[in-house]
Amino acid sequence: MNRAEDLEVVDRTVLVRADLNVPLDTGGGARARGSGGAPPGEQSAPPGQHSIADDGRIRASLPTIRDLLARGAAVIVCAHLGRPKGDDYAERAAGGPSLRPVADRLAELLGQPVALADDVAGESARVIAATMGAGEVALLENVRFEPAETSKDDEVRGELAARLAALADLYVGDGFGAMHRKHASVYDTPRLLPHAAGQLVLAEVAVLRQLTTSPARPYVVVLGGAKVSDKLAVIGNLVGSASSHPTTPPSASSHPTTPPTADRLLIAGGMAYTFLAAQGHRIGDSILQAEQIGQVTTVLADAAKAGVEVVLPVDHVVADRFAAEAEPEVVHGQDIPDGKMGLDIGPATSDLFGRELADAHTVFWNGPPGVFEFPAFAAGTRAVAEAISAVTGLTVVGGGDSAAAVRQLNLPADAFTHISTGGGASLEYLEGRQLPGLAALEDRS
Ligand code: ADP
Ligand code: MG
């Protein structure tokens, strides 16, 4: 893969696809990626400061942007935010979210103005691209305002990619969190311009490669989060399920064929309830993906065959509703009574996970073990984070929400070897799948 740092960029315009998909405060303590923003009546805070709940992804994008600017490039940043809704550009742009708060934050962090185009690759973007000079930076509006960005139709994506490519001389892919998407700005645009990988992408891939090539053992994986369906494929690989081996041929050297199995899999968060249900436990009103029970049962059997220890919660913190103000209550044992939902692992589970992590030499953690956004249900996430930070060896946290949770805990900067900006992307890498965005950057033609 070409490195952005090796590109000749003086007086050239570089299109940088970054991942600036930050969680935004919706006002009530809850968060939504890209939706909401400041509630009415809270306009007094400085623009761009109050609405971004965690600016980690913006900070992670700075090294590449700064390097290109310092070497005399004009930098046009392209990124998405949230999931704009609507059938066409106009509807989506009207509904938002706009990248305005991100542009403001990026300007603060860079210490220089960031022009925000009024559109993605239209008149406004063209005028900015044509008039900007060396050392200047601009941001295109939310690329997902363009329905073509995520189209399954190659031609439709290609048309947007051509408009994006026309804005610049060179392309740098640095949006690791979007690399698993076959999207116009990620997959098609780099094919139209001389391209290279940015520093963030190279750093992420270097760490993930370490995880997938003979990890020091014991190798312990902690998985949480809301849905088991998001993570079944990676779980299958970690326990050596034959059915989950990669279907795409691993053409590029950086992609593992069959990723190594884990020694232990600690399962928490919302997905744990589908596992507990599969084992015949009562889970009350906890989040359940009933249609996944068959697959979960298969995975548990595969794990037993492969000698991978699967550890499930042994107690819970429950409430009678999904709300920050709900009264937390500890339920001992694996069963949850009717009318209650599990929102965090209980203290005995935190202790158990701590013991299971104590002798680990490699740890990968994706997905918070509880609804950490609600302070009353964040103790399990803190306990897991602290246990992992005590591990000597390679410790990697992956996932947008997991990374935000970890930063919210204010652990020391060196608590983990690496905090990945990409959840889905890092999981797909661990599955041994080829990431479309990486494949496009590896292609030197
Ligand atoms: P990541 O972004 O790190 O990959 P996910 O998106 O998979 O993580 O999951 C994060 C979400 O999972 C958080 O918003 C958290 O509130 C939620 N979650 C964790 N535990 C539970 C639970 N017991 N019930 C419902 N949601 C949960
Ligand atoms: Mg998430």
Side-chain angles (χ1 to χ4, degrees), residues 59-248:
R59 288 176 186 274
S61 303
L62 294 175
T64 291
I65 297 173
R66 281 198 179 119
D67 169 66
L68 294 169
L69 291 171
R71 292 193 293 120
V75 174
I76 299 179
V77 182
C78 170
H80 74 277
L81 183 62
R83 294 178 186 274
K85 290 187 183 65
D87 294 335
D88 57 19
Y89 183 95
E91 237 178 86
R92 292 179 178 211
S98 164
L99 275 169
R100 169 49 67 194
V102 172
D104 292 343
R105 189 81 190 106
L106 182 60
E108 275 171 33
L109 292 168
L110 286 172
Q112 72 179 83
V114 173
L116 176 66
D118 286 333
D119 52 29
V120 175
E123 197 45 34
S124 170
R126 277 192 290 276
V127 168
I128 288 178
T131 53
M132 67 194 295
E136 292 183 347
V137 54
L139 178 63
L140 305 176
E141 251 303 2
N142 190 346
V143 68
R144 290 201 189 160
F145 286 171
E146 293 272 3
E149 166 71 354
T150 58
S151 172
K152 298 253 184 296
D153 185 327
D154 292 352
E155 259 178 63
V156 173
R157 285 197 319 277
E159 184 275 331
L160 171 59
R163 276 190 285 134
L164 286 168
L167 299 172
D169 307 307
L170 302 164
Y171 177 98
V172 167
D174 206 28
F176 181 72
M179 283 284 167
H180 59 312
R181 305 291 189 197
K182 195 176 173 183
H183 290 172
S185 67
V186 175
Y187 177 75
D188 303 276
T189 313
R191 292 167 183 266
L192 304 176
L193 290 172
H195 50 255
Q199 297 180 40
L200 175 63
V201 159
L202 292 169
E204 296 266 15
V205 169
V207 170
L208 289 171
R209 200 178 292 161
Q210 261 182 283
L211 274 184
T212 48
T213 42
S214 49
R217 295 180 180 274
Y219 173 26
V220 182
V221 174
V222 185
L223 292 175
K227 287 185 174 172
V228 68
S229 53
D230 295 343
K231 324 246 160 141
L232 263 177
V234 76
I235 295 174
N237 264 298
L238 292 166
V239 304
S241 295
S243 57
S244 62
H245 285 164
T247 46
T248 41

Side-chain angles (χ1 to χ4, degrees), residues 327-374:
E327 189 66 36
E329 186 189 326
V330 174
V331 169
H332 303 285
Q334 290 188 295
D335 294 270
I336 294 177
D338 291 343
K340 303 283 185 185
M341 58 178 72
L343 296 182
D344 194 10
I345 54 174
T349 306
S350 290
D351 288 350
L352 173 63
F353 281 17
R355 290 196 297 277
E356 298 284 356
L357 284 160
D359 66 343
H361 284 120
T362 306
V363 179
F364 176 74
W365 170 27
N366 167 261
V371 186
F372 73 95
E373 296 92 335
F374 303 157

Side-chain angles (χ1 to χ4, degrees), residues 44-67:
S44 52
Q49 275 195 347
H50 54 14
S51 58
I52 295 173
D54 177 66
D55 64 4
R57 281 179 164 163
I58 305 178
R59 288 176 186 274
S61 303
L62 294 175
T64 291
I65 297 173
R66 281 198 179 119
D67 169 66

